[in-house]
Amino acid sequence: MAAPELERALREAAAGPERAGEAAAVALGAVRAALAAAGGAAALSERERALFGAFLRSLARAPRAARPEGVWQRCFLEGLPAPALCVLLEALGCPRPSLHPKEVAEVLEQFLQEGRMSALLWEVCQQPAQAGSPELQEALLNRIVCLPDYVSNKLEGKNPPVFFPQNYFPLLGGAIIQVLQKISDSLRGGLDCSISFVSHVLGKVCIHGRQKEILGILLPRLMDLTKSDCIWQRICWRLVECVPDRWMEAVVLGFVQRAPGADVLSRVLGNLVVKNKKAQFVVTQKVLLLQYGHTTAVLQNLLGYLALDSLRRALLIKVLQELLETWSSSSAVKHSPPEQQQYISKAILICLSHLKKTEIESCRQELLTSMMEGVKCHLDSSLPQIRRLGMIVAESISAKINTDGPVLKFQYEEDDEVRELKSLLVQALPFCAVPSLPDEKNDKADAALPLVSESNDKSHTAAPVMPDEELDTELDSDDDLIPYDMSEDKEVKIKAPVYIRDCIEALTGSEDMDKWEATIKALESLVRKNPEATREVSVELAKILLHLEEKTCIEGFVELRQRAQVAVLTTDPIPVAKYLTSQFYSLNYSLRQRMDILDVLVLAAQELSYPKSHGKTKHSGGPKPCIQLLPGSDSSKDWRRIVDERIKSKTRRFATGQSQMELASGANEFNSVAGHFFFPLIQHFDRPLTTFDLLGEDHFVLGRLVHTLAVLMYLAVNTVAVAAMGKALLEFVWALRFHTDLYVRQGLLSCISSLLISVPAERLLEDMTEELLETQSWLGDVVEKDPDGDCRRLALQNLLFMENLKKKLQTAPS
Amino acid sequence: MALPPPDPQFVLRGTSAAVHTLHFSCGGQEPDVPILFSGSENGFIHVWNLKTHRVDTALDGHGRKSVYCVETMGDKTRLLSQGRDQRICLWDLAEGRTAVTDSVFTENVGFCRCSLLTVAQGRWLMAMAAKALEEVQVLELPSKTSVCTLKPEAGAKLGMPMCLKLWQLSSGSQPLLLAGYEDGSVVLWNLSMGKPLSQLACHQEPVMSLDFDSEKTKGISGSSEKVLSIWSLNEQQNLQVYKTHNLVNAGISDITIRPDKKIVATAGWDHRIRIFGWKKLKPLAVLDYHTATVHCVSFSNHKNPRERLLAAGSKDHRISIWSIYTQT
């Protein structure tokens, strides 16, 4: 037994710094010998360890002379790894170090590269009791996980790359794999050892946010190793189970996010969710119901993992029930962000894809109840996205529970998002699906071919058989029949009415559908061509158009009608706007009609407010000659041309500079009528009618109204009424600011934006200071608390906008 | 410069409803007056005297429901009419009588005109759409005994029959039926076996009308599309597309080949009557007189070819009578 010699050598080396050089060499030799004899660091006794620690510490404190170069480094590298690491890091942390940090870093670097880290872990695993008290283990754990931070803090800029987290943690991962390998070997050899320290390391690394680095190394290896080896599977399960609760979430999430498939997850985690309460909470509650940032693949991994084992399937059903509860809760639909609702919908669809028939039978009633509840509150929502989500999920549930009855079917547009959601219902095939061999494919194709030709034989193709001249022995052709003039044979166009009054008649009284169609198609241009005639009957025409329903199936009816309505409104704005706005708040209109009114008002306002000196086309770019050669019908343009020409004729130009682009200009026609569009709309929103309750369940129309007001406000820029409109709008927004509907709130925020844009800053600050301040504090609240991302963004923009206005006013000379 | 198209020879007014069907009876000897029967939407059958251009009689036998098929059986004293009251009436008009002697309750709710074929003196076959949606029934008249029911194979998805044409290669030979269906195909049926002999997809849309020339075994069909389809029947009794002809405007409601097989007339939804040479389907004339959809065209059966007339009935309540290509 070399122990007494070792003890003596260490004692001497630790005690006598003056002879430390030689003593260190002796001690190193003794340690080497002892370790070789004992067969591993773990074989050393507690006393010897303590002595070795003291020896290393004295080495670290010793002056340079007392440390023979080459030897002292070996002492750290070949001795016991745990004390070595501790002493090295202590030396690094020492305020007046005798060892230069650079030297320490070099040794540490070697320490890592020579695989001492795995030796360290292995040492702790072998004899957890001997490796020291829990506090000591805790300290060691801390040093291992925080090593990059320690080192980089000390060395500041001169940190060697091996200590960068992106390099260090993969290295640590490799060390863990080596240790696990040793553990597996020793288990096979019948020896017991503890894995808990490794679990602690893993947990702590993960909670420090280094899942990517460490699991990037660990997971692929574990995947391979656990494929067919049950001991490795057990080791793996144990590794995860021993992670302390406080770090469990990070570890489980790390695995779930990185596993390439549910089967891998199942191999690596085992029945962790059943055994560990914390893991169960993370998997069944936190990831699914409280978070929503994970990708679809994560959801598929997680739910697939739950579905893969009979013990876990009970959890799957429970999860589905909880998801459905959230999905069908009207408060959740109203208040949670659309992204989260989409996430939950995805999770539900994936759950459904995993459930078996018998399982569905067992909870059929509950599924049905929550489906009915959920579809109702989804369809109530004003966001088309939410409505569609509701439809898709409800369709899927109903298809699952009614395998042989009628199923729910909604109409919505198919797009990529819908297809993605629907694809979730079909379980992804397991990875091992071998692509069918080319031979097989060919066989299939061959088999399919005869079928095609058979069907061809059966029904004769309609391909024209060319008239065969030989067979067609018609010597006398049609030539003896002389054709008449057929030049008049053109495509029929139904004669559209040419007078506005005829249109009214055709639209109201006529039973002739062709005429009716021709009228609706011609109406817009007719109105635009005959403004005078239109003014005579404008309100009547507006009334007819508002009540007009699609009698025949003509393409783009809604648009045609809308364009005609806009034309009427722009031709005679004041009376028609008065009529339309009064109808918006009157009885016996459908929501559709009310929204039509809003659309028409917006479009007409837009048209009126755009300058249209060049007709309808808005030209842009490209220098144009200053003089319009086209004779304008407008008298004002004629006047302009004459003046221009006179100037031209009397001016001699010595050089022509770049000709300037003439900006489109004209009177803002919206100026005089903005108020007629705006004020009647804003007045009556809080007076419910029997059939129309804006503040109640017709919040969708309210949302549209609010958006309409925002647009009108925006278009009213540079008009006289803008300040009054702004004030009224601010009051309106204030009254509705806590509305529960997302769409309404977004509209309110756009109202504020367009108000800030349209109303001159001076008027804003003079006339509505109080209101603005209130609004500002409300915006601040929205930025912080609103569940919807868009609302928060809009509010933030508004706040910035206010700030800018303020700055502008301050810098502007008053 | 081609001549401008002729104007109608005369126009018959006074049906006071859209005209759906026309039938001439002009084959009689003097002093028989040439007659035109017209069936209109208000359920009346008008008997027009073509000498005076006045209505001789108005027959009311379909309960004011639209009459969409009128045919004479032999001479002008026996008349067959089909109406939207789901009945086919047989009339006795001899000696000024106006009595319905017999009727067949078709139970069919469509508007497929029946087709009549004389098989012997005083014996006719009549094909009509039956109660079941896809079926055609053939009866013998006047006994009203059912000859056969033509039912497409299950899964053929032909839809309702839209137009029918009974014909035989020569008198005494096996009668055959051509039927145009809702899915745009034309099917040739063998009556004795009750089996389809051939099927041809002529159109994308329902076949609105067809006529067949049993001498040249060539037929023509029109649909709501802009295309006329001409097809032929070969010796193996297979239907083949012979030619298609594109029209200027979509929609054909009736097609008739003149009894001498020289020209074809079509009634268009574009208010126009079109005349083609039958041999090559050479466009000959476009007769633009009506102000609404033309529902039917019919050629007269005058003994003297020079007197032959063309009549067209339209939704605008008028019947236009034309004399065109009578010199050939």
Side-chain angles (χ1 to χ4, degrees), chain A residues 424-441:
Chain A
L424 295 179
L425 266 184
V426 187
Q427 255 192 63
L429 285 173
F431 245 62
C432 55
V434 187
S436 58
L437 296 168
D439 287 352
E440 241 171 288
K441 269 189 192 161

Side-chain angles (χ1 to χ4, degrees), chain A residues 478 482 484-485 489-490, chain B residues 3 242 272 274 280 284 325:
Chain A
D478 290 333
I482 301 138
Y484 289 98
D485 178 25
D489 188 22
K490 307 236 172 68
Chain B
L3 286 170
Y242 174 82
R272 292 171 194 162
R274 285 158 205 280
K280 302 269 186 196
L284 294 175
Y325 295 111

Side-chain angles (χ1 to χ4, degrees), chain A residues 28 94 136 386 462 547 579 620:
Chain A
L28 178 63
C94 184
L136 224 93
I386 302 288
H547 291 274
Y579 170 73
S620 60

Side-chain angles (χ1 to χ4, degrees), chain A residues 455-528:
Chain A
S455 61
N456 275 350
D457 287 345
K458 252 183 205 165
S459 69
H460 291 277
T461 46
V465 178
M466 287 314 285
D468 197 332
E469 292 302 323
E470 293 296 309
L471 279 170
D472 210 25
T473 49
E474 289 166 0
L475 293 173
D476 53 342
S477 65
D478 290 333
D479 286 345
D480 52 336
L481 302 167
I482 301 138
Y484 289 98
D485 178 25
M486 284 178 286
S487 56
E488 290 300 303
D489 188 22
K490 307 236 172 68
E491 277 202 50
V492 177
K493 285 208 182 92
I494 312 287
K495 285 152 203 122
V498 279
Y499 299 107
I500 299 278
R501 283 176 194 274
D502 285 351
C503 291
I504 292 179
E505 196 179 316
L507 290 177
T508 50
S510 170
E511 286 302 307
D512 185 347
M513 287 307 138
D514 292 335
K515 194 168 181 189
W516 186 86
E517 278 185 17
T519 309
I520 190 83
K521 281 179 185 157
L523 191 54
E524 190 206 353
S525 62
L526 213 53
V527 167
R528 298 221 185 258

Side-chain angles (χ1 to χ4, degrees), chain A residues 754-786:
Chain A
S754 46
L755 179 125
L756 293 174
I757 293 172
S758 292
V759 183
E762 299 79 23
R763 303 300 303 275
L764 268 179
L765 292 186
E766 277 170 30
D767 299 359
M768 31 196 135
T769 331
E770 296 256 318
E771 291 93 335
L772 263 190
L773 286 176
E774 282 172 343
T775 311
Q776 196 174 16
S777 68
W778 168 60
L779 288 174
D781 260 13
V782 174
V783 170
E784 279 173 24
K785 293 175 194 160
D786 201 282

Side-chain angles (χ1 to χ4, degrees), chain A residues 109-121:
Chain A
E109 197 176 341
Q110 264 184 314
F111 185 87
L112 291 179
Q113 273 156 2
E114 284 180 18
R116 297 305 288 165
M117 195 54 96
S118 75
L120 191 159
L121 294 175

